[in-house]
C-alpha cells in the first residue's frame, strides 16, 4: 500500500520547485544565525570552513536527499523503508526519516521564538523607536524584549499560528508564489543595507575581518559549529529536502538545481554578514554578542540611514517572510507523519503538532530570562552554563543534523547501485566520477573527522 509510485502531484515547474527549496533554506539561519555564529567564532576562518563544508558536504548531501526523495516518492520515513527494502538493505535506514521528524520538532520550537523576535521588531521599526538609538543604547530594545516573557510568548504564539494556519490549510503554494517576489526583495534590502554599511568607517575593517581567515581564532568547536551550520542553513539532515525531492519530476537536473539553491543561500548569508559587521565595528559593539546580534545592530543602522523607518519595517517584514517559509517546511514533515500514523486529519495534525512545538518553545523563551541560569546538563564540563536553548541548538545543529546527513550520504554512496544513482543525477562521466569521489570519501570522512576532533 505504501509503495504506490507517483502518488502525489508534482511541482508545476522547475521554478516552483527551486522556489520551495530556496524558501526552506533561506531563513533565519542566513540572517540571524550565520552572523552571530561568525561573530562568536572570530570571523574569516569560520566563514572559510563554512564555505568548504557547504561545497564538499552540504551540496552532495542536498543532491542525495533529492535523489532519494525522487526515487521513493513518499514522505522521508516511507521513502527510506521502501528503498532499503527494495535494495535488501537493513530496515534500520528508516531511522534517517525518524531522526528528521524529531529534529524538525526541536528546531521549530526555538525557530518560532526567534521568528517572534522578528515580528516584534516590525512593530518597533514602525513606531520610530530606532531613530533615538545610540551606540550605548543599541541593545536596549532587544534587552527589553528578552526580559519580558509575556511579550515573547505573545510573539512566539503569533509566529506559530502563522505557520499552523498555512500548513493546516495546505496553502503553501500561495506562499511560494509570494516568495517569488519577496525573496528577491529581501536580497535587494540586504544590498541597500550593505550600501549603508559601506558608508560607515568600519566597513574596510569588517570586510577584511570577514574574508581573511585567521585560524588562531577558530577552535575545534568553531569548526563543528561551521559544519553544523552548513546543514542547518541548507535544511539538511531533516528529511525536508527528501520530502521535497519526492515531488520532483524526472526531467529536472538535480546537480544544477542544487547549485542554484546553494549559491543563493550562501550569497544571502554573506550579504547579511557584510551588512552587519561594519555597523558592529564602527560603533564599538560586541561581535560576539550572541543570538541578539542582528537585533542590536540593524536597528542602529536603520535609525541612522535616510528613510530608515520605512526600510526598517520593510526589512523585518521580509525577514519574517523568509522565516515563515522555513518554519512551514519544518512543520510539514511532522504533520505528514502524524497524518499517516494516526487517524487525525491534516487540520487536526497541524494543530496537534503546532501546539506541541509551541509548548516546547516556552522553554526557549524562559532560557533568555527566568531560566537563564538553568543549565540542565551543567554537571558535564562540556555543557557547563548552557541553557535549554543552547542545548536544543547543540543537539540539533551539532549532533542530529550532521549524523543524519552522514547516514544519508553513506547510504547513497555505498549502499545504492552506482547505475541507479548515476541515472538519477544524469551527469557526464567525469562529473559523475568527481561526484562519487566526494560523496563516498570526502563528505563522510569530513563529517567524521570534524566530529571526532570535537568530542
Ligand atoms: N534552513 C533554514 C534557515 O536557514 O533558516 C532553517 C531550517 C529549515 C533548518 C528547515 C532545518 C530545516 F530542516
Amino acid at each position: 500500500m505504501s509503495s504506490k509510485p507517483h502518488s502525489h502531484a508534482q511541482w508545476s515547474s522547475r521554478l516552483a520547485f527551486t522556489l520551495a527549496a530556496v524558501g526552506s533554506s533561506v531563513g533565519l539561519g542566513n540572517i540571524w544565525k550565520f552572523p552571530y555564529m561568525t561573530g562568536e567564532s572570530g570571523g574569516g576562518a569560520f566563514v572559510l570552513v563554512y564555505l568548504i563544508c557547504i561545497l564538499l558536504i552540504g551540496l552532495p548531501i542536498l543532491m542525495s536527499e533529492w535523489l532519494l526523495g525522487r526515487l521513493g516518492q513518499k514522505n522521508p520515513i516511507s521513502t527510506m523503508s521502501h528503498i532499503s527494502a527494495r535494495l535488501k538493505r537493513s530496515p534500520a535506514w528508516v531511522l534517517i526519516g525518524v531522526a528528521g521528524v524529531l529534529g524538525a520538532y526541536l528546531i521549530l520550537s526555538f525557530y518560532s521564538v526567534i521568528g517572534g523576535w522578528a515580528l516584534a521588531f516590525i512593530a518597533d521599526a514602525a513606531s520610530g523607536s530606532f531613530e533615538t538609538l545610540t551606540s550605548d543604547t543599541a541593545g536596549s530594545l532587544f534587552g527589553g524584549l528578552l526580559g519580558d516573557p509575556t511579550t515573547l510568548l505573545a510573539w512566539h504564539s503569533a509566529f506559530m499560528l502563522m505557520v499552523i494556519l498555512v500548513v493546516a490549510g495546505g496553502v503553501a503554494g500561495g506562499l511560494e508564489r509570494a516568495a517569488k517576489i519577496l525573496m528577491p526583495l529581501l536580497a535587494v534590502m540586504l544590498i541597500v543595507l550593505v550600501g549603508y554599511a559601506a558608508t560607515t568607517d568600519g566597513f574596510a575593517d569588517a570586510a577584511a575581518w570577514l574574508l581573511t581567515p585567521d585560524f588562531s581564532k577558530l577552535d575545534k568547536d568553531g569548526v563543528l559549529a561551521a559544519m553544523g551550520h552548513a546543514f542547518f542553513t541548507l535544511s539538511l539532515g531533516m528529511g525536508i529536502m527528501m520530502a521535497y525531492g519526492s515531488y520532483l519530476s524526472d526531467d529536472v537536473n538535480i546537480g544544477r538545481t542544487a547549485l542554484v539553491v546553494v549559491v543563493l543561500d550562501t550569497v544571502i548569508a554573506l550579504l547579511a554578514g557584510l551588512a552587519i559587521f561594519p555597523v558592529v565595528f564602527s560603533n564599538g559593539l560586541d561581535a560576539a554578542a550572541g543570538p541578539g546580534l542582528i537585533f542590536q545592530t540593524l536597528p542602529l543602522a536603520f535609525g541612522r540611514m535616510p528613510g530608515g523607518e520605512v526600510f526598517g519595517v520593510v526589512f523585518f517584514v521580509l525577514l519574517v517572510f523568509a522565516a515563515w517559509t522555513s518554519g512551514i517546511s519544518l512543520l510539514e514533515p511532522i504533520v505528514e507523519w502524524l497524518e499517516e500514523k494516526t487517524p487525525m486529519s491534516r487540520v487536526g495534525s497541524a494543530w496537534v503538532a503546532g501546539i506541541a512545538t509551541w509548548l516546547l518553545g516556552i522553554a526557549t523563551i524562559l532560557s533568555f530570562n527566568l531560566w537563564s541560569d538553568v543549565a540542565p546538563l551543567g554537571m558535564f564540563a562540556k555543557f557547563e552554563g548552557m541553557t535549554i536553548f543552547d542545548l536544543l541548538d547543540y543537539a540539533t545543529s551539532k549532533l542530529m543534523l550532521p549524523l543524519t546527513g552522514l547516514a544519508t550520504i553513506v547510504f547513497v554512496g555505498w549502499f545504492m547501485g552506482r547505475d541507479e544513482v548515476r541515472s538519477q543525477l544524469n551527469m557526464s562521466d567525469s562529473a559523475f566520477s568527481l561526484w562519487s569521489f566526494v560523496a563516498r570519501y570526502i563528505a563522510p570522512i569530513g563529517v567524521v573527522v570534524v566530529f571526532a576532533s570535537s568530542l
Side-chain angles (χ1 to χ4, degrees), residues 171-415:
V171 292
L175 199 77
E176 299 305 346
R177 276 194 293 281
K180 186 149 82 184
I181 303 160
L182 297 171
M183 290 292 181
L185 259 183
L186 180 66
V188 170
M189 276 307 303
L190 281 171
I191 293 170
V192 168
L193 271 170
V194 174
Y196 166 77
T199 67
T200 65
D201 46 15
F203 189 74
D205 285 346
W209 177 83
L210 260 181
L211 303 172
T212 326
D214 173 357
F215 281 95
S216 66
K217 296 213 186 98
L218 190 69
D219 58 10
K220 284 174 182 153
D221 214 48
V223 176
L224 179 60
M227 180 179 81
H229 190 60
F231 285 94
F232 187 91
T233 193
L234 293 177
S235 307
L236 298 176
M238 224 43 350
I240 286 172
M241 288 301 185
M242 209 186 282
Y244 280 16
S246 71
Y247 293 90
L248 195 53
S249 63
D250 287 330
D251 52 340
V252 173
N253 183 310
I254 288 184
R256 220 176 301 145
T257 313
L259 207 57
V260 170
V261 171
V262 164
V263 168
L264 286 176
D265 188 85
T266 308
V267 166
I268 298 270
L270 292 176
L271 282 176
L274 277 177
I276 286 156
F277 287 107
V279 180
V280 172
F281 278 53
S282 50
N283 287 285
L285 303 176
D286 179 13
L293 185 67
I294 68 160
F295 297 98
Q296 291 162 9
T297 48
L298 290 181
L300 199 59
F302 286 124
R304 292 186 183 169
M305 69 169 87
E309 192 171 324
V310 176
F311 280 145
V313 174
V314 172
F315 177 84
F316 282 106
V317 167
L318 293 171
L319 181 60
V320 166
F321 256 96
W324 196 10
T325 50
S326 301
I328 290 163
S329 78
L330 281 161
L331 189 61
E332 186 65 42
I334 314 172
V335 170
E336 255 173 38
W337 178 74
L338 281 180
E339 227 185 325
E340 197 177 289
K341 296 288 169 200
T342 69
M344 278 186 291
S345 66
R346 177 163 189 94
V347 175
S349 308
W351 281 97
V352 167
I355 291 171
T357 316
W358 174 82
L359 275 175
L360 183 62
I362 295 173
T364 288
I365 290 182
L366 296 174
S367 299
F368 291 105
N369 38 66
L370 302 179
W371 292 355
S372 60
D373 293 329
V374 176
L377 296 181
M379 59 283 209
F380 303 105
K382 191 164 178 71
F383 301 112
E384 211 184 301
M386 287 173 74
T387 61
I388 297 180
F389 163 71
D390 295 330
L391 291 173
L392 284 170
D393 181 37
Y394 192 97
T396 50
S397 285
K398 293 187 180 163
L399 294 175
M400 298 176 68
L401 304 188
L403 281 178
T404 316
L406 175 65
T408 307
I409 197 129
V410 166
F411 183 79
V412 172
W414 293 92
F415 291 85

Side-chain angles (χ1 to χ4, degrees), residues 69-92:
R70 183 157 74 181
L71 278 170
Q73 291 291 318
K74 279 282 171 181
N75 72 64
I77 299 182
S78 310
T79 284
M80 285 314 295
S81 72
H82 173 63
I83 298 181
S84 52
R86 176 167 61 78
L87 299 174
K88 306 207 166 38
R89 301 296 183 191
S90 158

